[in-house]
Amino acid sequence: MQLFAGLGNPGEKYRRNRHNIGFMAADAIHYRHRFSPWRKRFQAQTAEGEIAGEKILLVKPETYMNDSGIAVSAAQNFFKVALGDIVVLYDEIDLPPAKLRVKTGGGNAGHNGLRSITAHCGNDYQRVRIGVGHPGDKALVARHVLSDFAKSEQPWVEAMCEAISDAAQLLVARQQVEFQTRIHLTMEKSNTIPTGAPRP
């Protein structure tokens, strides 16, 4: 079994925030691959399904972003999921909007959700970094990630989440380069990349 964790904050107040794009991507995977209904356990919303013949547990922690590791580690320990079989989807301010990168391990770059998961689980899990852009001033970062995507951003957000769900089998197979390339090609064709943003 592999564990896919989308990060975000629970509740309607945060639902459209940039910080919640991990939740949005998890919802797209849930819908596209016809997972079981969401149910609450491990202090999270969880659902089970299969992608490319592999059993997948989808997890959306309800512990709030800063304590994401509590829920992820509880699910990991219950199902005895290897650290390398954990995939975390989250917002990345150091990438331009509509850009994506995948890696295993590395630093947490000030992301409290990653810091919590690393503290509870270890560091060498797979990370799907979904760019939401930087406000340009460190003092404005919290406001930036906890604000909603603008209406003009919705097309690329929806296209990105759909692309991730459509290419999820490559993540399951740990084909990170191929997954990343597929996403970028899909986003190029979607014509939703924000004006002025670097092309993938």
Side-chain angles (χ1 to χ4, degrees), residues 2-5 83-90 102-105 114 123-128 170-176:
Q2 296 185 22
L3 190 162
F4 279 39
L83 185 57
D85 287 331
I86 295 176
V87 176
V88 178
L89 305 109
Y90 65 97
V102 187
K103 65 176 181 177
T104 298
L114 296 189
N123 196 57
D124 293 329
Y125 49 88
Q126 298 182 71
R127 304 158 191 231
V128 179
L170 295 173
L171 276 181
V172 171
R174 299 195 188 190
Q175 295 177 328
Q176 295 180 353

Short mmCIF file of all heavy atoms in Angstrom, two decimals, residues 2-5 83-90 102-105 114 123-128 170-176:
data_model
loop_
_atom_site.label_atom_id
_atom_site.label_comp_id
_atom_site.label_asym_id
_atom_site.label_seq_id
_atom_site.Cartn_x
_atom_site.Cartn_y
_atom_site.Cartn_z
N GLN A 2 0.43 2.26 -0.74
CA GLN A 2 1.06 3.57 -0.71
C GLN A 2 0.11 4.58 -0.08
O GLN A 2 -1.11 4.40 -0.11
CB GLN A 2 1.45 4.02 -2.13
CG GLN A 2 2.51 3.12 -2.76
CD GLN A 2 2.97 3.65 -4.11
OE1 GLN A 2 2.86 4.83 -4.42
NE2 GLN A 2 3.49 2.75 -4.94
N LEU A 3 0.67 5.62 0.49
CA LEU A 3 -0.12 6.65 1.17
C LEU A 3 0.10 7.98 0.45
O LEU A 3 1.23 8.45 0.33
CB LEU A 3 0.32 6.74 2.64
CG LEU A 3 -0.50 7.57 3.61
CD1 LEU A 3 -0.18 7.17 5.05
CD2 LEU A 3 -0.27 9.07 3.44
N PHE A 4 -1.00 8.54 -0.06
CA PHE A 4 -0.96 9.86 -0.70
C PHE A 4 -1.60 10.86 0.26
O PHE A 4 -2.79 10.73 0.58
CB PHE A 4 -1.74 9.86 -2.01
CG PHE A 4 -1.00 9.30 -3.19
CD1 PHE A 4 -0.17 8.19 -3.07
CD2 PHE A 4 -1.16 9.86 -4.45
CE1 PHE A 4 0.50 7.66 -4.16
CE2 PHE A 4 -0.50 9.34 -5.55
CZ PHE A 4 0.34 8.25 -5.40
N ALA A 5 -0.83 11.83 0.73
CA ALA A 5 -1.36 12.84 1.66
C ALA A 5 -1.41 14.20 0.98
O ALA A 5 -0.39 14.72 0.52
CB ALA A 5 -0.48 12.92 2.90
N LEU A 83 8.32 4.56 4.40
CA LEU A 83 8.46 6.01 4.24
C LEU A 83 8.54 6.41 2.77
O LEU A 83 7.96 7.41 2.35
CB LEU A 83 9.70 6.50 5.00
CG LEU A 83 9.93 8.01 5.04
CD1 LEU A 83 8.74 8.74 5.63
CD2 LEU A 83 11.20 8.32 5.82
N GLY A 84 9.24 5.61 1.97
CA GLY A 84 9.38 5.92 0.55
C GLY A 84 8.09 5.75 -0.25
O GLY A 84 8.00 6.17 -1.40
N ASP A 85 7.07 5.12 0.37
CA ASP A 85 5.77 4.93 -0.27
C ASP A 85 4.77 5.99 0.15
O ASP A 85 3.57 5.86 -0.11
CB ASP A 85 5.21 3.54 0.04
CG ASP A 85 5.95 2.44 -0.71
OD1 ASP A 85 6.44 2.72 -1.82
OD2 ASP A 85 6.03 1.30 -0.20
N ILE A 86 5.25 7.04 0.82
CA ILE A 86 4.40 8.18 1.16
C ILE A 86 4.63 9.29 0.15
O ILE A 86 5.76 9.66 -0.15
CB ILE A 86 4.70 8.70 2.58
CG1 ILE A 86 4.35 7.64 3.63
CG2 ILE A 86 3.94 9.99 2.86
CD1 ILE A 86 4.71 8.04 5.06
N VAL A 87 3.54 9.80 -0.42
CA VAL A 87 3.59 10.91 -1.37
C VAL A 87 2.83 12.08 -0.75
O VAL A 87 1.66 11.93 -0.36
CB VAL A 87 2.93 10.53 -2.72
CG1 VAL A 87 2.90 11.73 -3.66
CG2 VAL A 87 3.66 9.35 -3.37
N VAL A 88 3.48 13.22 -0.62
CA VAL A 88 2.84 14.39 -0.02
C VAL A 88 2.66 15.46 -1.09
O VAL A 88 3.61 15.85 -1.78
CB VAL A 88 3.69 14.94 1.15
CG1 VAL A 88 3.04 16.20 1.74
CG2 VAL A 88 3.86 13.88 2.24
N LEU A 89 1.43 15.95 -1.24
CA LEU A 89 1.09 16.99 -2.21
C LEU A 89 0.84 18.29 -1.44
O LEU A 89 0.02 18.31 -0.52
CB LEU A 89 -0.14 16.61 -3.01
CG LEU A 89 -0.08 15.26 -3.74
CD1 LEU A 89 -1.01 14.25 -3.07
CD2 LEU A 89 -0.46 15.41 -5.21
N TYR A 90 1.54 19.37 -1.82
CA TYR A 90 1.43 20.59 -1.03
C TYR A 90 1.79 21.83 -1.85
O TYR A 90 2.35 21.74 -2.94
CB TYR A 90 2.33 20.50 0.20
CG TYR A 90 3.81 20.45 -0.11
CD1 TYR A 90 4.59 21.61 -0.06
CD2 TYR A 90 4.44 19.27 -0.48
CE1 TYR A 90 5.95 21.57 -0.35
CE2 TYR A 90 5.79 19.22 -0.77
CZ TYR A 90 6.54 20.37 -0.70
OH TYR A 90 7.87 20.33 -1.00
N VAL A 102 8.85 17.48 -8.41
CA VAL A 102 8.75 16.29 -7.56
C VAL A 102 10.14 15.90 -7.10
O VAL A 102 11.10 15.95 -7.88
CB VAL A 102 8.12 15.09 -8.32
CG1 VAL A 102 7.87 13.93 -7.36
CG2 VAL A 102 6.83 15.51 -8.98
N LYS A 103 10.27 15.52 -5.84
CA LYS A 103 11.55 15.04 -5.34
C LYS A 103 11.29 14.14 -4.14
O LYS A 103 10.20 14.13 -3.56
CB LYS A 103 12.46 16.20 -4.94
CG LYS A 103 11.96 17.03 -3.77
CD LYS A 103 12.98 18.09 -3.39
CE LYS A 103 12.50 18.92 -2.20
NZ LYS A 103 13.52 19.92 -1.78
N THR A 104 12.30 13.39 -3.75
CA THR A 104 12.25 12.59 -2.53
C THR A 104 13.22 13.20 -1.53
O THR A 104 14.38 13.48 -1.86
CB THR A 104 12.66 11.13 -2.81
OG1 THR A 104 11.71 10.56 -3.72
CG2 THR A 104 12.66 10.32 -1.51
N GLY A 105 12.74 13.44 -0.32
CA GLY A 105 13.58 14.02 0.72
C GLY A 105 13.90 15.47 0.45
O GLY A 105 13.23 16.15 -0.34
N LEU A 114 5.34 20.15 6.10
CA LEU A 114 6.45 19.23 5.87
C LEU A 114 7.28 19.04 7.14
O LEU A 114 7.72 17.93 7.45
CB LEU A 114 7.36 19.76 4.76
CG LEU A 114 6.78 19.87 3.34
CD1 LEU A 114 7.89 20.20 2.37
CD2 LEU A 114 6.06 18.59 2.93
N ASN A 123 12.29 11.82 6.91
CA ASN A 123 12.44 12.84 5.87
C ASN A 123 12.32 12.33 4.43
O ASN A 123 11.98 13.08 3.53
CB ASN A 123 13.81 13.52 6.02
CG ASN A 123 13.90 14.82 5.26
OD1 ASN A 123 13.10 15.73 5.47
ND2 ASN A 123 14.87 14.91 4.37
N ASP A 124 12.58 11.06 4.19
CA ASP A 124 12.72 10.58 2.82
C ASP A 124 11.42 10.08 2.19
O ASP A 124 11.33 8.97 1.68
CB ASP A 124 13.80 9.51 2.75
CG ASP A 124 15.17 10.07 3.04
OD1 ASP A 124 15.41 11.25 2.73
OD2 ASP A 124 16.02 9.35 3.60
N TYR A 125 10.40 10.95 2.21
CA TYR A 125 9.14 10.67 1.52
C TYR A 125 9.12 11.48 0.22
O TYR A 125 9.91 12.41 0.03
CB TYR A 125 7.93 11.01 2.40
CG TYR A 125 7.98 12.39 3.03
CD1 TYR A 125 7.48 13.51 2.37
CD2 TYR A 125 8.55 12.57 4.30
CE1 TYR A 125 7.54 14.77 2.95
CE2 TYR A 125 8.61 13.82 4.88
CZ TYR A 125 8.11 14.92 4.20
OH TYR A 125 8.18 16.17 4.78
N GLN A 126 8.20 11.12 -0.68
CA GLN A 126 8.10 11.80 -1.97
C GLN A 126 7.28 13.09 -1.81
O GLN A 126 6.27 13.10 -1.13
CB GLN A 126 7.43 10.90 -3.00
CG GLN A 126 8.21 9.62 -3.29
CD GLN A 126 7.52 8.78 -4.35
OE1 GLN A 126 7.50 9.15 -5.52
NE2 GLN A 126 6.96 7.67 -3.93
N ARG A 127 7.74 14.14 -2.45
CA ARG A 127 7.11 15.45 -2.32
C ARG A 127 6.68 15.97 -3.68
O ARG A 127 7.52 16.10 -4.59
CB ARG A 127 8.08 16.43 -1.66
CG ARG A 127 8.59 15.94 -0.32
CD ARG A 127 9.90 16.63 0.05
NE ARG A 127 10.50 15.95 1.20
CZ ARG A 127 10.91 16.56 2.30
NH1 ARG A 127 10.81 17.87 2.40
NH2 ARG A 127 11.43 15.87 3.29
N VAL A 128 5.41 16.27 -3.82
CA VAL A 128 4.89 16.90 -5.03
C VAL A 128 4.65 18.37 -4.70
O VAL A 128 3.72 18.72 -3.98
CB VAL A 128 3.58 16.23 -5.50
CG1 VAL A 128 3.05 16.93 -6.75
CG2 VAL A 128 3.81 14.75 -5.79
N LEU A 170 1.98 7.38 -12.63
CA LEU A 170 3.43 7.58 -12.73
C LEU A 170 4.03 7.84 -11.35
O LEU A 170 5.16 7.43 -11.06
CB LEU A 170 3.75 8.75 -13.67
CG LEU A 170 3.35 8.53 -15.13
CD1 LEU A 170 3.56 9.80 -15.94
CD2 LEU A 170 4.13 7.37 -15.74
N LEU A 171 3.28 8.50 -10.48
CA LEU A 171 3.72 8.67 -9.10
C LEU A 171 3.78 7.32 -8.39
O LEU A 171 4.71 7.04 -7.65
CB LEU A 171 2.77 9.60 -8.34
CG LEU A 171 2.98 11.10 -8.46
CD1 LEU A 171 1.93 11.82 -7.62
CD2 LEU A 171 4.38 11.51 -8.04
N VAL A 172 2.74 6.52 -8.62
CA VAL A 172 2.68 5.20 -8.00
C VAL A 172 3.91 4.37 -8.40
O VAL A 172 4.49 3.65 -7.57
CB VAL A 172 1.38 4.47 -8.40
CG1 VAL A 172 1.40 3.02 -7.95
CG2 VAL A 172 0.17 5.19 -7.80
N ALA A 173 4.32 4.50 -9.65
CA ALA A 173 5.47 3.76 -10.16
C ALA A 173 6.80 4.45 -9.84
O ALA A 173 7.86 3.98 -10.26
CB ALA A 173 5.34 3.57 -11.67
N ARG A 174 6.74 5.54 -9.09
CA ARG A 174 7.93 6.33 -8.72
C ARG A 174 8.66 6.87 -9.94
O ARG A 174 9.88 7.07 -9.91
CB ARG A 174 8.88 5.52 -7.84
CG ARG A 174 8.28 5.08 -6.52
CD ARG A 174 9.35 4.61 -5.57
NE ARG A 174 8.77 4.00 -4.38
CZ ARG A 174 9.45 3.69 -3.29
NH1 ARG A 174 10.75 3.92 -3.26
NH2 ARG A 174 8.88 3.13 -2.26
N GLN A 175 7.95 7.10 -10.99
CA GLN A 175 8.54 7.70 -12.20
C GLN A 175 8.40 9.21 -12.10
O GLN A 175 7.60 9.84 -12.80
CB GLN A 175 7.86 7.12 -13.44
CG GLN A 175 8.10 5.63 -13.63
CD GLN A 175 7.38 5.06 -14.83
OE1 GLN A 175 6.30 5.51 -15.19
NE2 GLN A 175 7.99 4.08 -15.47
N GLN A 176 9.20 9.80 -11.24
CA GLN A 176 9.05 11.20 -10.91
C GLN A 176 9.31 12.13 -12.10
O GLN A 176 8.57 13.09 -12.32
CB GLN A 176 9.95 11.57 -9.74
CG GLN A 176 9.58 10.88 -8.45
CD GLN A 176 10.50 11.27 -7.30
OE1 GLN A 176 11.50 11.95 -7.48
NE2 GLN A 176 10.15 10.84 -6.10
#
